[in-house]
Structure formats: C-alpha cells, structure tokens
Amino acid sequence: MSVRHYLRRPPEVSATEAMRLVGEGALVVDVRREREWRDHHVPGSVHLPLTDLAARAEELPDDRVLIAFCTGGLLSRGAANLLAELGFEAVSLARGLVGWRAAGGELEGERAS
C-alpha cells in the first residue's frame, strides 16, 4: 500500500457514531496484527490484517458499511481508503481502539478485561 493511502483522509466516524452504525448493521473490520486482535477486539468484528486486505477483500460483504479499525487510527485510514477504492462503503474509526475504549465500547479477547 502506498503512502497516499495514509495521507488522504477517508470519512471518519467517532466511536459513538461507530457504535450507532454497528447497531444499524455496519461491520467493524479490524486491520491490526494477530496478537493485537487476540488481546482485544470489538465483539462481532472481522479480523483482516492490513497486509492481507487487498487480497482478501472479496471475503467482506458489499452491502454493509465497513468500519476500519486499528489501535490509534492511522492504519484504519489507509484501510478505509483502500476499501473505498475497491468499491466498498468504508469509513475509518477516529482514534481507533483508543477512542473505542474512551467511549465505553465493549471489547473481548485475552486481555479485554
């Protein structure tokens, strides 16, 4: 993925807005590494590491909003841009896991509690 994917600003949503979108059927796509995913992730989210995203994007539904998710928001911006280029309706979660936790979002995983 080129640097432009990280520099261009895709639509971003706050954690509160992301929670509302999930309630309406949006899907959180966690683009972090395996270990980070095992430690904690959003319940019901899909794990698709950024390094595999382009090759495995066909596994994602094309009839739902996709919310790209990472730890702090940088990787998710690149992922949301790539997903949009591939024809998906995608947004980036502003502040990623940091914002999700701050808004009281639920987490599950080995270190979620």
Side-chain angles (χ1 to χ4, degrees):
M1 187 177 313
S2 72
V3 172
R4 70 185 168 88
H5 288 281
Y6 299 100
L7 298 178
R8 194 165 27 124
R9 289 289 215 189
E12 279 191 326
V13 295
S14 68
T16 303
E17 178 69 3
M19 289 177 209
R20 183 187 66 76
L21 289 171
V22 167
E24 295 174 357
L27 177 65
V28 174
V29 180
D30 193 320
V31 298
R32 298 174 302 150
R33 294 183 181 134
E34 179 68 27
R35 181 70 207 155
E36 294 169 298
W37 163 262
R38 282 195 317 264
D39 282 350
H40 33 62
H41 55 271
V42 174
S45 61
V46 171
H47 181 232
L48 192 52
L50 185 58
T51 54
D52 300 337
L53 190 59
R56 296 180 49 203
E58 71 277 352
E59 298 173 23
L60 296 170
D62 60 5
D63 61 345
R64 298 167 71 180
V65 173
L66 303 179
I67 303 170
F69 178 91
C70 69
T71 301
L74 179 62
L75 295 180
S76 64
R77 283 196 300 265
N81 281 332
L82 178 58
L83 289 167
E85 287 177 9
L86 294 171
F88 294 95
E89 183 179 353
V91 296
S92 175
L93 177 60
R95 298 184 58 225
L97 176 65
V98 174
W100 186 264
R101 277 186 167 159
E106 291 184 40
L107 293 169
E108 61 185 20
E110 295 173 3
R111 300 178 70 193
S113 44

XYZ file of all heavy atoms in Angstrom:
862
model
N 0.851 -1.166 0.000
C 0.000 0.000 0.000
C 0.897 1.230 0.000
O 1.850 1.295 0.751
C -0.899 -0.037 1.233
C -1.919 1.048 1.227
S -3.069 1.002 2.624
C -3.577 -0.683 2.709
N 0.567 2.192 -0.816
C 1.397 3.380 -0.929
C 1.103 4.374 0.194
O 0.085 4.290 0.878
C 1.163 4.055 -2.284
O -0.101 4.674 -2.304
N 1.992 5.325 0.352
C 1.866 6.348 1.385
C 0.590 7.160 1.205
O -0.030 7.590 2.176
C 3.114 7.271 1.368
C 2.933 8.453 2.287
C 4.342 6.473 1.750
N 0.133 7.340 -0.029
C -1.068 8.156 -0.263
C -2.298 7.604 0.434
O -3.216 8.338 0.789
C -1.329 8.341 -1.747
C -1.780 7.113 -2.469
C -1.901 7.393 -3.983
N -2.055 6.167 -4.699
C -3.230 5.589 -4.937
N -4.341 6.156 -4.521
N -3.302 4.459 -5.601
N -2.339 6.286 0.684
C -3.475 5.700 1.394
C -3.554 6.202 2.826
O -4.628 6.244 3.409
C -3.392 4.175 1.393
C -3.678 3.577 0.070
N -4.946 3.421 -0.424
C -2.850 3.107 -0.888
C -4.891 2.875 -1.614
N -3.631 2.679 -1.923
N -2.418 6.553 3.397
C -2.400 7.029 4.776
C -2.590 8.545 4.856
O -3.052 9.055 5.863
C -1.085 6.643 5.459
C -0.901 5.158 5.516
C -0.075 4.510 4.603
C -1.567 4.398 6.461
C 0.087 3.134 4.640
C -1.417 3.024 6.507
C -0.590 2.404 5.594
O -0.440 1.056 5.629
N -2.216 9.260 3.816
C -2.278 10.715 3.825
C -3.651 11.250 3.450
O -4.066 12.291 3.938
C -1.218 11.289 2.885
C 0.229 10.955 3.263
C 1.183 11.529 2.229
C 0.570 11.447 4.652
N -4.332 10.569 2.559
C -5.659 11.004 2.157
C -6.628 10.717 3.292
O -6.531 9.692 3.950
C -6.085 10.254 0.899
C -7.256 10.857 0.226
C -7.430 10.326 -1.177
N -6.877 8.998 -1.335
C -7.556 7.947 -1.765
N -8.812 8.077 -2.096
N -6.981 6.781 -1.898
N -7.533 11.610 3.529
C -8.463 11.465 4.644
C -9.770 10.823 4.173
O -10.565 11.456 3.502
C -8.793 12.825 5.240
C -7.660 13.448 5.993
C -7.448 12.698 7.240
N -7.053 13.597 8.301
C -6.640 13.156 9.460
N -6.592 11.891 9.702
N -6.286 13.988 10.389
N -10.017 9.569 4.564
C -11.315 8.967 4.268
C -12.342 9.522 5.253
O -11.979 10.161 6.237
C -11.070 7.480 4.544
C -10.069 7.501 5.641
C -9.167 8.685 5.340
N -13.601 9.261 5.011
C -14.581 9.665 6.023
C -14.236 8.995 7.345
O -13.879 7.820 7.378
C -15.900 9.128 5.472
C -15.672 8.949 4.011
C -14.218 8.623 3.862
N -14.277 9.766 8.421
C -14.006 9.235 9.751
C -15.262 9.347 10.592
O -16.051 10.271 10.418
C -12.891 10.021 10.445
C -11.519 9.618 10.038
C -10.459 10.242 10.938
O -10.638 11.380 11.404
O -9.451 9.569 11.165
N -15.412 8.397 11.496
C -16.515 8.452 12.445
C -15.948 8.337 13.848
O -14.911 7.707 14.063
C -17.559 7.342 12.196
C -18.254 7.532 10.856
C -16.937 5.956 12.290
N -16.626 8.949 14.783
C -16.238 8.821 16.189
C -16.653 7.432 16.673
O -17.439 6.731 16.026
C -16.954 9.884 17.020
O -18.348 9.600 17.050
N -16.163 7.051 17.829
C -16.542 5.763 18.404
C -18.047 5.715 18.674
O -18.697 4.692 18.433
C -15.753 5.501 19.678
N -18.603 6.804 19.146
C -20.041 6.852 19.408
C -20.826 6.637 18.122
O -21.789 5.870 18.091
C -20.424 8.202 20.059
O -19.661 8.355 21.256
C -21.898 8.262 20.376
N -20.401 7.292 17.054
C -21.052 7.115 15.751
C -20.846 5.695 15.241
O -21.754 5.087 14.675
C -20.507 8.136 14.745
C -21.084 8.004 13.353
C -22.550 8.394 13.232
O -23.161 8.841 14.217
O -23.104 8.234 12.127
N -19.668 5.135 15.442
C -19.399 3.760 15.015
C -20.327 2.785 15.739
O -20.852 1.849 15.123
C -17.939 3.397 15.265
N -20.527 2.993 17.023
C -21.428 2.119 17.775
C -22.845 2.193 17.219
O -23.532 1.170 17.107
C -21.400 2.489 19.256
C -20.106 2.126 19.939
S -20.132 2.672 21.671
C -18.392 2.947 21.936
N -23.269 3.394 16.858
C -24.600 3.552 16.260
C -24.664 2.814 14.930
O -25.619 2.089 14.649
C -24.933 5.032 16.058
C -26.352 5.260 15.512
C -26.607 6.710 15.150
N -25.789 7.172 14.034
C -26.008 6.858 12.757
N -26.998 6.070 12.414
N -25.231 7.352 11.812
N -23.615 2.972 14.105
C -23.587 2.305 12.802
C -23.585 0.783 12.946
O -24.263 0.086 12.186
C -22.364 2.757 12.000
C -22.403 4.188 11.475
C -21.048 4.584 10.898
C -23.500 4.338 10.427
N -22.842 0.270 13.924
C -22.833 -1.177 14.175
C -24.243 -1.639 14.541
O -24.709 -2.679 14.067
C -21.803 -1.554 15.263
C -22.000 -2.985 15.741
C -20.383 -1.352 14.737
N -24.934 -0.860 15.347
C -26.311 -1.180 15.705
C -27.239 -1.210 14.512
O -28.265 -1.897 14.521
N -26.877 -0.492 13.457
C -27.659 -0.453 12.221
C -27.168 -1.463 11.188
O -27.651 -1.473 10.066
C -27.627 0.956 11.625
C -28.305 1.993 12.499
C -28.146 3.412 11.963
O -27.467 3.616 10.935
O -28.701 4.323 12.593
N -26.156 -2.278 11.564
C -25.703 -3.326 10.650
C -24.318 -3.159 10.075
O -23.869 -4.010 9.298
N -23.615 -2.093 10.409
C -22.246 -1.918 9.909
C -21.340 -3.003 10.493
O -21.628 -3.566 11.545
C -21.717 -0.530 10.263
N -20.245 -3.260 9.810
C -19.291 -4.283 10.226
C -17.947 -3.643 10.529
O -17.409 -2.905 9.702
C -19.122 -5.323 9.117
C -18.107 -6.438 9.364
C -18.551 -7.322 10.526
C -17.929 -7.267 8.097
N -17.396 -3.930 11.702
C -16.065 -3.453 12.064
C -15.040 -4.410 11.468
O -15.125 -5.625 11.669
C -15.896 -3.366 13.596
C -14.461 -3.001 13.962
C -16.871 -2.350 14.182
N -14.084 -3.855 10.719
C -13.006 -4.636 10.116
C -11.714 -4.245 10.823
O -11.195 -3.145 10.635
C -12.891 -4.380 8.599
C -11.766 -5.207 7.999
C -14.214 -4.674 7.904
N -11.217 -5.143 11.651
C -10.025 -4.900 12.449
C -8.800 -5.230 11.598
O -8.618 -6.373 11.190
C -10.071 -5.789 13.690
C -9.056 -5.417 14.741
O -7.910 -5.090 14.367
O -9.399 -5.472 15.930
N -7.965 -4.233 11.320
C -6.827 -4.419 10.408
C -5.496 -4.560 11.149
O -4.435 -4.512 10.529
C -6.760 -3.282 9.361
C -8.002 -3.279 8.492
C -6.552 -1.916 10.006
N -5.551 -4.780 12.457
C -4.329 -4.917 13.241
C -3.717 -6.308 13.084
O -4.296 -7.203 12.479
C -4.635 -4.647 14.726
C -5.151 -3.241 14.963
C -5.597 -3.036 16.400
N -6.628 -4.007 16.745
C -6.820 -4.495 17.957
N -6.043 -4.103 18.964
N -7.776 -5.362 18.208
N -2.554 -6.492 13.678
C -1.865 -7.788 13.641
C -2.584 -8.813 14.510
O -3.366 -8.469 15.390
C -0.423 -7.624 14.122
C 0.384 -6.779 13.194
C 1.815 -6.718 13.680
N 2.586 -5.866 12.792
C 3.409 -4.935 13.205
N 3.596 -4.736 14.489
N 4.067 -4.208 12.328
N -2.248 -10.072 14.301
C -2.886 -11.191 15.006
C -2.817 -11.054 16.522
O -3.814 -11.252 17.213
C -2.233 -12.510 14.559
C -2.795 -13.734 15.245
C -4.224 -14.063 14.868
O -4.648 -13.712 13.746
O -4.929 -14.665 15.697
N -1.657 -10.730 17.045
C -1.504 -10.639 18.504
C -2.408 -9.553 19.086
O -3.031 -9.741 20.136
C -0.035 -10.370 18.876
C 0.202 -10.282 20.350
C 0.048 -11.640 21.011
N -0.341 -11.455 22.399
C -0.996 -12.336 23.121
N -1.335 -13.482 22.611
N -1.317 -12.084 24.355
N -2.461 -8.420 18.412
C -3.318 -7.330 18.888
C -4.781 -7.766 18.881
O -5.541 -7.446 19.793
C -3.126 -6.096 18.018
C -1.744 -5.491 18.127
C -1.500 -4.442 17.068
O -1.534 -4.793 15.862
O -1.289 -3.276 17.446
N -5.183 -8.474 17.835
C -6.550 -8.993 17.712
C -6.860 -9.945 18.862
O -7.908 -9.853 19.492
C -6.700 -9.686 16.371
C -7.889 -10.609 16.278
C -7.888 -11.967 16.433
C -9.242 -10.242 16.001
N -9.158 -12.457 16.277
C -10.010 -11.429 16.007
C -9.868 -9.025 15.754
C -11.374 -11.429 15.769
C -11.238 -9.043 15.514
C -11.973 -10.227 15.523
N -5.937 -10.871 19.141
C -6.172 -11.834 20.224
C -6.284 -11.128 21.574
O -7.073 -11.547 22.425
C -5.064 -12.888 20.268
C -5.210 -13.955 19.214
C -4.340 -15.164 19.487
N -2.992 -14.865 19.925
C -1.927 -14.805 19.138
N -2.045 -15.014 17.848
N -0.736 -14.530 19.642
N -5.509 -10.079 21.766
C -5.553 -9.356 23.043
C -6.936 -8.747 23.290
O -7.489 -8.906 24.373
C -4.505 -8.248 23.081
C -3.111 -8.766 23.348
O -2.951 -9.956 23.689
O -2.161 -7.967 23.190
N -7.453 -8.030 22.330
C -8.769 -7.411 22.475
C -9.261 -6.926 21.126
O -8.502 -6.416 20.305
C -8.777 -6.263 23.479
C -7.501 -5.487 23.541
N -6.974 -4.789 22.494
C -6.634 -5.323 24.561
C -5.844 -4.222 22.854
N -5.615 -4.537 24.100
N -10.564 -7.115 20.918
C -11.203 -6.667 19.685
C -12.684 -6.382 19.947
O -13.223 -6.769 20.980
C -11.034 -7.688 18.556
C -11.510 -9.057 18.916
N -10.697 -10.000 19.519
C -12.716 -9.644 18.788
C -11.377 -11.105 19.724
N -12.610 -10.920 19.296
N -13.293 -5.708 19.011
C -14.701 -5.366 19.113
C -15.530 -6.630 18.877
O -15.289 -7.336 17.892
C -15.068 -4.282 18.074
C -16.564 -4.013 18.070
C -14.284 -2.998 18.340
N -16.470 -6.946 19.758
C -17.320 -8.123 19.538
C -18.024 -8.048 18.177
O -18.522 -6.997 17.782
C -18.343 -8.053 20.675
C -17.663 -7.253 21.741
C -16.812 -6.257 21.006
N -18.007 -9.164 17.457
C -18.660 -9.217 16.156
C -17.838 -8.667 15.012
O -18.277 -8.679 13.866
N -16.643 -8.182 15.306
C -15.799 -7.627 14.239
C -15.125 -8.754 13.450
O -15.080 -9.903 13.888
C -14.749 -6.681 14.815
O -13.892 -7.368 15.705
N -14.600 -8.392 12.301
C -13.873 -9.314 11.439
C -12.403 -8.939 11.499
O -12.058 -7.757 11.407
C -14.380 -9.205 9.978
C -13.502 -9.980 9.025
C -15.816 -9.663 9.883
N -11.542 -9.935 11.645
C -10.106 -9.671 11.642
C -9.565 -9.902 10.239
O -9.644 -11.000 9.709
C -9.387 -10.581 12.637
C -7.930 -10.341 12.697
N -7.000 -11.333 12.558
C -7.228 -9.186 12.876
C -5.792 -10.813 12.651
N -5.912 -9.512 12.842
N -9.040 -8.849 9.647
C -8.446 -8.914 8.314
C -7.242 -7.985 8.317
O -7.379 -6.786 8.097
C -9.474 -8.497 7.260
C -9.158 -8.754 5.812
C -8.759 -10.205 5.563
C -10.356 -8.413 4.962
N -6.047 -8.525 8.641
C -4.864 -7.661 8.757
C -4.649 -6.801 7.511
O -4.935 -7.233 6.385
C -3.719 -8.661 8.932
C -4.361 -9.888 9.475
C -5.730 -9.932 8.847
N -4.170 -5.614 7.725
C -3.944 -4.677 6.637
C -3.096 -5.285 5.533
O -3.363 -5.057 4.355
C -3.287 -3.400 7.170
C -3.087 -2.275 6.178
C -4.409 -1.833 5.561
C -2.403 -1.102 6.841
N -2.117 -6.105 5.894
C -1.237 -6.715 4.890
C -1.993 -7.679 3.976
O -1.537 -7.954 2.872
C -0.073 -7.465 5.560
O -0.610 -8.406 6.499
C 0.861 -6.498 6.269
N -3.137 -8.177 4.404
C -3.933 -9.123 3.615
C -5.171 -8.495 2.999
O -5.911 -9.169 2.275
C -4.400 -10.287 4.505
C -3.265 -11.060 5.118
O -2.144 -11.027 4.576
O -3.506 -11.704 6.160
N -5.431 -7.251 3.303
C -6.709 -6.627 2.964
C -7.033 -6.662 1.471
O -8.124 -7.089 1.085
C -6.746 -5.183 3.478
C -8.084 -4.479 3.424
C -9.135 -5.223 4.232
C -7.941 -3.059 3.953
N -6.120 -6.243 0.633
C -6.406 -6.209 -0.806
C -6.670 -7.608 -1.360
O -7.606 -7.806 -2.140
C -5.254 -5.551 -1.562
N -5.881 -8.577 -0.919
C -6.013 -9.942 -1.439
C -7.272 -10.646 -0.938
O -7.784 -11.537 -1.613
C -4.779 -10.761 -1.064
N -7.772 -10.241 0.228
C -8.911 -10.942 0.824
C -10.181 -10.105 0.900
O -11.168 -10.523 1.517
C -8.525 -11.434 2.214
C -7.410 -12.475 2.190
C -7.028 -12.964 3.564
N -8.184 -13.349 4.347
C -8.198 -13.382 5.687
N -7.123 -13.064 6.377
N -9.288 -13.741 6.343
N -10.188 -8.959 0.251
C -11.342 -8.061 0.339
C -12.633 -8.707 -0.145
O -13.720 -8.366 0.341
C -11.069 -6.780 -0.446
N -12.540 -9.675 -1.036
C -13.754 -10.330 -1.547
C -14.483 -11.109 -0.449
O -15.645 -11.460 -0.611
C -13.433 -11.252 -2.733
C -12.667 -12.514 -2.371
C -11.163 -12.340 -2.247
O -10.630 -11.262 -2.580
O -10.497 -13.296 -1.799
N -13.836 -11.336 0.676
C -14.475 -12.011 1.808
C -15.425 -11.081 2.566
O -16.220 -11.547 3.384
C -13.419 -12.535 2.785
C -12.492 -13.570 2.196
C -11.361 -13.951 3.137
O -11.505 -13.772 4.376
O -10.326 -14.424 2.631
N -15.333 -9.791 2.304
C -16.148 -8.805 3.018
C -17.485 -8.590 2.317
O -17.558 -8.640 1.088
C -15.390 -7.482 3.115
C -14.100 -7.538 3.924
C -13.305 -6.253 3.747
C -14.399 -7.793 5.388
N -18.528 -8.314 3.080
C -19.832 -8.049 2.469
C -19.822 -6.693 1.757
O -19.188 -5.751 2.226
C -20.789 -8.039 3.656
C -19.939 -7.653 4.818
C -18.567 -8.230 4.544
N -20.520 -6.620 0.641
C -20.562 -5.345 -0.090
C -21.890 -4.622 0.110
O -22.158 -3.621 -0.543
C -20.265 -5.541 -1.573
C -21.245 -6.473 -2.256
O -22.224 -6.903 -1.614
O -21.029 -6.767 -3.442
N -22.700 -5.115 1.043
C -24.000 -4.499 1.284
C -24.104 -3.870 2.676
O -25.185 -3.583 3.150
C -25.106 -5.542 1.111
C -24.985 -6.716 2.077
O -23.906 -6.886 2.694
O -25.972 -7.468 2.208
N -22.953 -3.667 3.320
C -22.910 -3.064 4.656
C -21.814 -2.010 4.692
O -20.825 -2.103 3.968
C -22.579 -4.129 5.704
C -23.604 -5.235 5.789
C -23.111 -6.417 6.588
N -23.021 -6.119 8.014
C -22.613 -7.005 8.907
N -22.270 -8.224 8.561
N -22.534 -6.682 10.183
N -21.978 -1.032 5.556
C -20.906 -0.073 5.806
C -19.787 -0.815 6.539
O -20.054 -1.583 7.469
C -21.401 1.111 6.661
C -20.237 2.017 7.051
C -22.473 1.890 5.932
N -18.553 -0.612 6.107
C -17.398 -1.209 6.759
C -16.684 -0.135 7.563
O -16.399 0.949 7.041
C -16.449 -1.815 5.729
C -17.057 -2.880 4.808
C -16.006 -3.378 3.815
C -17.642 -4.029 5.604
N -16.386 -0.440 8.817
C -15.687 0.494 9.698
C -14.292 -0.061 9.935
O -14.129 -1.057 10.639
C -16.424 0.674 11.032
C -17.859 1.144 10.798
C -15.658 1.646 11.935
C -18.731 1.118 12.050
N -13.285 0.550 9.321
C -11.898 0.114 9.506
C -11.443 0.496 10.906
O -11.690 1.612 11.377
C -11.009 0.735 8.444
N -10.751 -0.436 11.566
C -10.417 -0.295 12.975
C -8.963 -0.694 13.213
O -8.515 -1.734 12.724
C -11.344 -1.227 13.770
C -11.111 -1.263 15.247
C -11.785 -0.399 16.087
C -10.237 -2.184 15.811
C -11.600 -0.452 17.471
C -10.048 -2.245 17.186
C -10.727 -1.368 18.010
N -8.218 0.134 13.949
C -6.857 -0.197 14.363
C -6.650 0.360 15.773
O -7.612 0.713 16.442
C -5.822 0.339 13.376
S -5.669 2.129 13.341
N -5.419 0.473 16.210
C -5.164 0.928 17.572
C -5.376 2.428 17.746
O -6.027 2.873 18.673
C -3.739 0.545 18.018
O -3.628 -0.876 17.942
C -3.455 0.994 19.442
N -4.819 3.233 16.835
C -4.891 4.678 17.010
C -5.520 5.452 15.877
O -5.719 6.652 15.977
N -5.826 4.805 14.772
C -6.494 5.476 13.662
C -5.689 5.604 12.388
O -6.254 5.827 11.325
N -4.374 5.458 12.439
C -3.558 5.635 11.235
C -3.765 4.501 10.231
O -4.061 4.748 9.058
C -2.076 5.756 11.593
C -1.129 5.918 10.402
C -1.441 7.204 9.646
C 0.314 5.895 10.853
N -3.611 3.279 10.655
C -3.789 2.150 9.737
C -5.210 2.069 9.215
O -5.434 1.697 8.056
C -3.410 0.833 10.412
C -1.958 0.659 10.813
C -1.770 -0.706 11.477
C -1.029 0.813 9.631
N -6.164 2.407 10.056
C -7.560 2.327 9.618
C -7.867 3.349 8.528
O -8.699 3.088 7.657
C -8.518 2.475 10.797
O -8.415 3.739 11.396
N -7.194 4.488 8.529
C -7.394 5.458 7.441
C -6.939 4.863 6.118
O -7.635 4.958 5.109
C -6.648 6.758 7.730
C -7.349 7.620 8.752
C -6.835 9.046 8.768
N -5.425 9.165 9.069
C -4.921 9.386 10.275
N -5.730 9.492 11.304
N -3.626 9.503 10.450
N -5.756 4.244 6.118
C -5.272 3.602 4.904
C -6.186 2.480 4.465
O -6.479 2.314 3.271
N -6.671 1.696 5.419
C -7.573 0.590 5.096
C -8.889 1.095 4.528
O -9.402 0.550 3.542
C -7.817 -0.248 6.350
N -9.456 2.135 5.118
C -10.716 2.687 4.619
C -10.547 3.237 3.207
O -11.416 3.046 2.351
C -11.236 3.772 5.566
N -9.429 3.887 2.944
C -9.168 4.384 1.589
C -9.091 3.232 0.598
O -9.669 3.287 -0.492
C -7.863 5.182 1.542
C -8.024 6.582 2.070
O -9.091 7.159 2.000
N -6.952 7.132 2.612
N -8.382 2.185 0.959
C -8.246 1.031 0.073
C -9.605 0.371 -0.163
O -9.960 0.047 -1.301
C -7.261 0.022 0.661
C -7.061 -1.262 -0.137
C -6.577 -0.968 -1.557
C -6.094 -2.179 0.573
N -10.365 0.185 0.884
C -11.689 -0.418 0.736
C -12.588 0.427 -0.168
O -13.308 -0.113 -1.012
C -12.338 -0.616 2.103
C -11.717 -1.715 2.962
C -12.223 -1.623 4.403
C -11.986 -3.090 2.373
N -12.531 1.748 -0.012
C -13.326 2.626 -0.879
C -12.883 2.493 -2.332
O -13.722 2.450 -3.237
C -13.211 4.071 -0.401
N -11.580 2.408 -2.568
C -11.083 2.222 -3.933
C -11.542 0.898 -4.529
O -11.696 0.779 -5.740
C -9.555 2.288 -3.953
C -9.016 3.685 -3.751
C -7.502 3.724 -3.692
O -6.849 2.693 -3.968
O -6.968 4.793 -3.361
N -11.774 -0.078 -3.669
C -12.235 -1.396 -4.113
C -13.757 -1.457 -4.253
O -14.308 -2.504 -4.577
C -11.744 -2.478 -3.150
C -10.228 -2.685 -3.117
C -9.844 -3.628 -1.980
C -9.719 -3.208 -4.456
N -14.425 -0.342 -3.988
C -15.865 -0.271 -4.215
C -16.740 -0.446 -2.985
O -17.963 -0.482 -3.093
N -16.148 -0.540 -1.812
C -16.923 -0.691 -0.583
C -17.284 0.675 -0.007
O -16.578 1.656 -0.234
C -16.109 -1.456 0.474
C -15.826 -2.883 0.112
C -14.634 -3.224 -0.504
C -16.746 -3.881 0.404
C -14.358 -4.540 -0.835
C -16.475 -5.201 0.071
C -15.285 -5.539 -0.545
N -18.368 0.707 0.757
C -18.687 1.899 1.530
C -17.934 1.755 2.843
O -18.272 0.895 3.666
C -20.191 2.003 1.782
C -20.577 3.262 2.512
C -22.083 3.378 2.744
O -22.848 2.553 2.237
O -22.455 4.315 3.467
N -16.883 2.536 3.026
C -15.996 2.349 4.177
C -15.680 3.671 4.850
O -15.568 4.708 4.195
C -14.696 1.682 3.726
N -15.545 3.594 6.164
C -15.144 4.735 6.978
C -14.044 4.266 7.921
O -13.859 3.068 8.137
C -16.328 5.321 7.787
C -17.401 5.874 6.872
C -16.907 4.287 8.741
N -13.335 5.201 8.482
C -12.285 4.917 9.450
C -12.767 5.328 10.832
O -13.390 6.379 10.997
C -11.026 5.708 9.087
O -10.032 5.546 10.071
N -12.459 4.500 11.814
C -12.803 4.842 13.191
C -11.744 5.797 13.735
O -10.589 5.417 13.919
C -12.883 3.589 14.067
C -13.176 3.837 15.539
C -14.510 4.536 15.727
C -13.150 2.537 16.306
N -12.134 7.043 13.970
C -11.218 8.039 14.518
C -10.684 7.572 15.864
O -11.438 7.081 16.698
C -11.932 9.385 14.670
N -9.383 7.652 16.047
C -8.708 7.279 17.285
C -8.759 5.786 17.573
O -8.317 5.339 18.625
C -9.245 8.081 18.470
C -9.017 9.576 18.316
C -9.459 10.389 19.518
N -8.785 9.965 20.723
C -9.401 9.770 21.889
N -10.699 9.964 22.011
N -8.724 9.388 22.951
N -9.303 4.972 16.678
C -9.258 3.523 16.793
C -9.645 2.966 18.147
O -10.616 3.393 18.767
N -8.861 2.000 18.594
C -9.105 1.339 19.875
C -9.102 2.343 21.025
O -9.901 2.231 21.965
C -8.048 0.258 20.118
C -8.080 -0.468 21.448
C -9.352 -1.289 21.581
C -6.860 -1.356 21.598
N -8.244 3.330 20.940
C -8.165 4.362 21.983
C -9.510 5.067 22.120
O -10.048 5.216 23.220
C -7.037 5.367 21.661
C -7.035 6.519 22.642
C -5.690 4.662 21.626
N -10.081 5.485 20.997
C -11.377 6.155 21.013
C -12.509 5.231 21.426
O -13.420 5.630 22.156
N -12.445 3.983 20.960
C -13.479 2.997 21.295
C -13.541 2.785 22.808
O -14.605 2.799 23.410
C -13.178 1.692 20.565
C -14.235 0.644 20.697
C -14.258 -0.377 21.597
C -15.417 0.507 19.906
N -15.382 -1.146 21.407
C -16.110 -0.626 20.384
C -15.952 1.237 18.846
C -17.312 -1.057 19.825
C -17.156 0.805 18.295
C -17.822 -0.313 18.778
N -12.361 2.596 23.406
C -12.311 2.400 24.860
C -12.811 3.639 25.602
O -13.552 3.523 26.574
C -10.881 2.114 25.301
C -10.471 0.703 25.147
C -9.104 0.517 25.740
N -8.808 -0.888 25.867
C -7.598 -1.371 25.962
N -6.558 -0.574 25.980
N -7.405 -2.666 26.064
N -12.370 4.815 25.162
C -12.756 6.059 25.827
C -14.265 6.266 25.802
O -14.834 6.845 26.730
C -12.044 7.246 25.183
N -14.916 5.765 24.746
C -16.366 5.913 24.619
C -17.125 4.792 25.333
O -18.350 4.746 25.296
C -16.751 5.946 23.142
N -16.388 3.877 25.969
C -17.029 2.794 26.702
C -17.433 1.617 25.845
O -18.270 0.808 26.258
N -16.833 1.508 24.659
C -17.155 0.396 23.768
C -16.725 -0.948 24.334
O -15.700 -1.043 25.004
N -17.528 -1.960 24.081
C -17.225 -3.304 24.552
C -16.045 -3.895 23.804
O -15.838 -3.626 22.620
C -18.442 -4.222 24.376
C -19.588 -3.896 25.276
C -20.709 -4.900 25.126
O -20.435 -6.107 24.993
O -21.867 -4.465 25.133
N -15.274 -4.750 24.504
C -14.160 -5.471 23.912
C -14.205 -6.909 24.410
O -14.716 -7.184 25.490
C -12.829 -4.835 24.312
C -12.544 -3.445 23.770
C -11.328 -2.851 24.452
C -12.355 -3.495 22.265
N -13.642 -7.790 23.602
C -13.459 -9.168 24.026
C -12.084 -9.619 23.599
O -11.450 -8.967 22.776
C -14.552 -10.073 23.447
C -14.602 -10.131 21.930
C -15.774 -10.932 21.405
O -16.757 -11.140 22.145
O -15.710 -11.349 20.238
N -11.607 -10.703 24.161
C -10.288 -11.219 23.845
C -9.535 -11.588 25.092
O -10.049 -11.484 26.219
N -8.290 -12.005 24.927
C -7.472 -12.495 26.040
C -7.196 -11.441 27.104
O -7.038 -11.755 28.271
C -6.142 -13.048 25.510
C -6.314 -14.265 24.631
C -5.010 -14.698 23.985
O -3.946 -14.100 24.239
O -5.070 -15.662 23.201
N -7.110 -10.172 26.689
C -6.767 -9.107 27.645
C -7.833 -8.018 27.688
O -7.571 -6.882 28.034
C -5.417 -8.502 27.255
C -4.297 -9.529 27.272
C -3.009 -8.948 26.844
N -2.546 -8.024 27.887
C -1.580 -7.168 27.721
N -0.936 -7.088 26.568
N -1.202 -6.384 28.703
N -9.060 -8.378 27.350
C -10.135 -7.388 27.237
C -10.612 -6.856 28.575
O -11.137 -5.759 28.647
C -11.309 -7.985 26.476
N -10.448 -7.599 29.624
C -10.999 -7.122 30.899
C -10.087 -6.165 31.607
O -9.020 -5.888 31.324
C -11.312 -8.288 31.810
O -10.287 -9.252 31.808
